[in-house]
Amino acid sequence: MALRRLLPFLLVILLFVLPPPPSCVASGGGEPAEFEIPRDGSVVELDESSFDAAVRAVDLLFVDFYAPWCGHCKRLAPQLDEAAPVLAGLSTPIVVAKVNADKYRKLGSKYGVDGFPTLMLFDHGAPSEYTGSRKADLLIENLKKLVAPDVSVLESDSAIKGFVEAAGIGFPLFIGFGVEESLIAEYGAKYKKKAWFSVAKDFSEDMMVVYDFDKVPALVSHNTKYNEHSVFYGPFEGTFLEDFIRQSLLPLTVPINRETVKMLNDDERKVVLTILDDEADEYSPQLIKILRSAANANHDLVFGYVGVKQWEEFTETFDVSKSSQLPKMVVWDGNEEYEVVEGSERLEEGNYGSQISHFLEGYRAGRTIKKKVGRGSPTLLGVNAMYILIFLVAVLLVMMYFSGQGEEDHRPRRAHED
């Protein structure tokens, strides 16, 4: 009996003496264990119990919300495995994680995940969706750009060299020598996803030689990928500065492909498009060089080129096939219309320079014929589209009629299916 009376006191003493279980050990005393960043830079799997701890512990967390049955997710996984160690080794580390959002649906719903895979960057806990390239090398470049400052301040020659080296070749970069940070801060934020921006506070004459400018203030644009370089001396007011930045985001002559077409969507200028048989043939480099000179003198236009052999599906929309006489030049509005200059339908082999000048003169004089992109294929502005729209409306009305004939309790389900 005496032992029974002492038993509650013994249990209380044991609770104070014995340590808590390992799963509850934490610096906060009783809180869940802190998230540990993987030392090998591997992709870490998170669940509902570890996700919040990871967001708190990691400044930059890149999360793949996936589903095990999703084919796109399976193809993405090796790209993330390749990118994760590189991102973890950056001067500003990015930890890559993944969450089975099909299993942990509450967690996916919290962040608006409605498709797989959904990629999100948590910057000090603030989430933003990532919609860029998913290939490992481009993923690394894009994330490096997203987490960088809008405008980097460089205090020495070595800092300038380090900035250029870290930027790589994926994006054009702008360096303001003797330019006040406040002058380009707005554009550094506006074009953050498209270019690197910096201001050099202190630099030597060696840097002036390297970047080919002879006075300050000067904003240097450098595009390593296309080996292009230009200098802007002002005025640093009005629209002049932004016009220079916007025009420098693209190379003087743009190779048209699926990636650069996306870039053209944000540029309001019309595109002088030269359609070649093959970008790799012996005559193309000479023509592209002349196009670059024309672009240098006509900054209000974008100059692009594309080969039929490189992207036949795209060139066909401009009434071009393998049997067409090429090269051919048109002026494309970037959407559904293009213009052919009368008398300059194609370029003859020989003096390309004078022919391109003649083409541009005809375009500016209005000697053009407007056409629809797509060789009569349905467009939102075309007649064919009207017939398609009428047909779809008719089908919808028929479906609504038959759905109304069903039982009352079936109507919500059938309407949803429609």
Side-chain angles (χ1 to χ4, degrees):
M1 293 293 292
L3 184 59
R4 284 185 180 178
R5 292 174 182 175
L6 290 174
L7 187 57
F9 296 101
L10 291 172
L11 289 174
V12 172
I13 292 171
L14 286 174
L15 286 174
F16 282 99
V17 172
L18 293 177
S23 60
C24 295
V25 175
S27 59
E31 295 181 359
E34 292 297 323
F35 174 77
E36 290 188 9
I37 299 174
R39 295 182 179 180
D40 59 357
S42 59
V43 178
V44 60
E45 183 90 28
L46 300 175
D47 56 27
E48 288 181 339
S49 63
S50 60
F51 187 85
D52 289 340
V55 171
R56 287 195 305 268
V58 180
D59 290 343
L60 298 169
L61 183 68
F62 186 67
V63 182
D64 168 27
F65 291 92
Y66 75 98
W69 45 261
C70 167
H72 293 294
C73 300
K74 293 175 181 177
R75 288 189 289 273
L76 173 62
Q79 301 295 324
L80 293 178
D81 289 337
E82 182 181 339
V86 180
L87 293 169
L90 298 176
S91 57
T92 305
I94 302 174
V95 175
V96 180
K98 58 182 179 180
V99 172
N100 184 345
D102 187 46
K103 180 178 180 181
Y104 303 107
R105 296 187 178 184
K106 184 184 292 186
L107 190 57
S109 177
K110 179 180 179 181
Y111 294 103
V113 174
D114 56 4
F116 305 109
T118 293
L119 301 174
M120 304 196 79
L121 177 67
F122 289 79
D123 186 345
H124 293 81
S128 61
E129 186 171 357
Y130 171 84
T131 57
S133 175
R134 296 173 181 175
K135 290 186 177 181
D137 55 344
L138 297 177
L139 175 67
I140 293 167
E141 289 293 327
N142 289 341
L143 287 177
K144 282 168 59 179
K145 184 72 208 71
L146 285 176
V147 302
D150 293 348
V151 180
S152 298
V153 179
L154 312 174
E155 301 286 356
S156 64
D157 287 4
S158 60
I160 296 170
K161 293 175 182 178
F163 169 78
V164 174
E165 183 179 343
I169 66 171
F171 298 90
L173 57 88
F174 296 88
I175 308 176
F177 291 92
V179 177
E180 290 296 327
E181 182 182 354
S182 59
L183 291 175
I184 61 173
E186 174 188 351
Y187 308 115
K190 183 175 181 179
Y191 299 106
K192 181 180 178 67
K193 294 182 179 180
K194 299 180 180 181
W196 295 85
F197 289 84
S198 68
V199 290
K201 294 291 187 181
D202 193 12
F203 52 90
S204 69
E205 291 185 2
D206 291 340
M207 289 293 102
M208 299 179 70
V209 174
V210 169
Y211 290 101
D212 195 25
F213 66 98
D214 54 13
K215 62 180 180 180
V216 293
L219 180 62
V220 171
S221 165
H222 191 69
N223 195 328
T224 306
K225 184 175 182 178
Y226 296 102
N227 194 28
E228 291 186 357
H229 177 93
S230 55
V231 182
F232 178 75
Y233 291 110
F236 291 88
E237 57 189 20
T239 63
F240 298 103
L241 176 57
E242 184 170 12
D243 285 346
F244 171 77
I245 292 172
R246 183 171 50 83
Q247 292 168 10
S248 299
L249 293 173
L250 291 168
L252 284 172
T253 50
V254 184
I256 302 298
N257 52 50
R258 286 171 175 80
E259 195 66 32
T260 56
V261 162
K262 295 177 184 177
M263 297 167 64
L264 291 173
N265 289 338
D266 298 326
D267 198 303
E268 298 177 354
R269 294 174 293 171
K270 290 189 176 182
V271 182
V272 177
L273 179 64
T274 302
I275 303 173
L276 313 165
D277 177 48
D278 184 358
E279 296 173 19
D281 70 22
E282 58 181 322
Y283 301 107
S284 295
Q286 177 191 356
L287 176 54
I288 293 169
K289 184 178 181 180
I290 296 171
L291 288 172
R292 185 175 288 112
S293 299
N296 225 351
N298 296 271
H299 289 289
D300 60 322
L301 297 168
V302 176
F303 283 72
Y305 63 90
V306 62
V308 174
K309 291 184 178 179
Q310 279 69 35
W311 198 359
E312 184 177 359
E313 181 184 4
F314 177 80
T315 59
E316 284 178 346
T317 62
F318 296 94
D319 200 17
V320 169
S321 65
K322 290 181 179 179
S323 61
S324 300
Q325 292 184 318
L326 301 173
K328 174 181 178 178
M329 293 186 75
V330 301
V331 179
W332 178 38
D333 70 352
N335 193 13
E336 298 197 12
E337 286 189 349
Y338 68 97
E339 297 174 64
V340 176
V341 176
E342 294 178 319
S344 298
E345 285 78 9
R346 66 178 297 263
L347 298 176
E348 302 287 345
E349 186 178 337
N351 189 351
Y352 287 137
S354 62
Q355 293 179 73
I356 292 172
S357 296
H358 183 70
F359 174 90
L360 293 172
E361 289 172 5
Y363 166 70
R364 296 195 185 281
R367 298 193 298 270
T368 63
I369 301 172
K370 290 189 176 182
K371 296 188 176 184
K372 296 290 184 185
V373 169
R375 294 201 307 181
S377 61
T379 70
L380 293 177
L381 301 176
V383 176
N384 290 346
M386 183 62 69
Y387 289 117
I388 290 175
L389 183 60
I390 293 171
F391 173 76
L392 291 174
V393 170
V395 170
L396 182 60
L397 290 172
V398 171
M399 293 173 69
M400 291 173 64
Y401 172 79
F402 282 107
S403 68
Q405 303 303 308
E407 295 294 329
E408 187 71 25
D409 59 338
H410 287 169
R411 284 180 183 174
R413 180 180 60 82
R414 292 178 62 117
H416 178 69
E417 290 174 353
D418 292 342

